[in-house]
Amino acid sequence: MASAHCVYCDATLQPNSMYCVQCGQLIPQANEPQRPPAPPQFGQPPAAVPPAGQPQQPAAAAAAAAASPARPSIEPIPLPRSLPWQQAGADHAVAQPAPAPAQPAPVERVELAFSTGQRVVVTGSAVIGRKPTDTALAMGARAVEVQDDTRSVSRVHLFLEVADGVVLVGDAGSANGSRLERAGLMTPLEAAGTRVRALVGDRIWLGDLSFELRAA
């Protein structure tokens, strides 16, 4: 014999039960003239009636629309005009790179700041080395004796001259050579009396020692 089911929740009924154990509703008897009205929780909402002239949606589409949550309307969000070039009347000039450095100012004298801590101010001509006195006297120049315990600096290592507002340096035929360092780049100073223009801020290397050209 087939099992009876609740007309409200479709649960399986126990034999001779007057109430459904699942939903608690009164089970209609076979001799009752009609089915009792369904409680509110089992009732279906009335279908919406479209306005006159509008076609009705199929039942499946209407059920899907009823089950889908209503989506709020999305309005376009205007771009906030907070950037400088978006302001009314703003100056739209494009930033320019930093200008190139101007022509170096004329130099009358310079300070030689050695890596050993020695400081010497030079005007005119100078001969730099471990023992430059005799050569400096013969040239009528100033002798700048370098304190060098490693002996990487020659007796007469470098010629330096401040004249006509510029600084010129040149190697004096040293054993370990001379170099000019500017912005991280090294330029060897050739011998045979060749002079190279140096600028304030450059570093001159004499063997293992060096000095920086500073304004004085």
Side-chain angles (χ1 to χ4, degrees):
M1 181 172 118
S3 301
H5 295 272
C6 178
V7 296
Y8 303 110
C9 66
D10 201 34
T12 302
L13 300 177
Q14 299 294 331
N16 302 324
S17 298
M18 296 184 63
Y19 296 91
C20 176
V21 296
Q22 186 69 25
C23 63
Q25 296 298 320
L26 180 66
I27 300 173
Q29 302 300 319
N31 57 355
E32 289 183 358
Q34 62 181 359
R35 177 179 176 177
Q41 63 267 30
F42 298 102
Q44 300 295 331
V49 179
Q54 181 176 349
Q56 293 185 352
Q57 296 181 351
S68 301
R71 292 185 178 181
S73 60
I74 301 176
E75 298 181 359
I77 301 176
L79 177 67
R81 301 181 63 82
S82 58
L83 300 177
W85 57 84
Q86 294 176 332
Q87 300 299 320
D91 186 7
H92 300 287
V94 179
Q96 298 296 329
Q103 185 71 15
V107 178
E108 300 299 331
R109 61 179 187 172
V110 291
E111 180 186 38
L112 314 183
F114 285 86
S115 55
T116 58
Q118 184 180 359
R119 300 289 186 270
V120 179
V121 175
V122 174
T123 59
S125 300
V127 180
I128 305 172
R130 283 191 298 109
K131 298 294 182 180
T133 304
D134 294 341
T135 303
L137 286 174
M139 295 177 58
R142 176 177 178 179
V144 177
E145 186 172 335
V146 178
Q147 302 168 2
D148 178 26
D149 296 334
T150 65
R151 302 180 68 86
S152 63
V153 178
S154 298
R155 293 171 61 89
V156 177
H157 199 113
L158 186 82
F159 296 126
L160 184 145
E161 182 179 9
V162 181
D164 299 327
V166 299
V167 180
L168 299 176
V169 293
D171 189 81
S174 64
N176 294 318
S178 306
R179 304 177 302 280
L180 184 149
E181 179 182 358
R182 180 182 300 165
L185 299 178
M186 290 286 191
T187 302
L189 302 180
E190 299 179 357
T194 303
R195 307 292 175 93
V196 175
R197 183 177 180 180
L199 304 177
V200 172
D202 290 347
R203 180 170 292 276
I204 311 300
W205 287 86
L206 317 174
D208 296 334
L209 302 185
S210 67
F211 65 84
E212 181 183 354
L213 284 177
R214 297 180 180 177

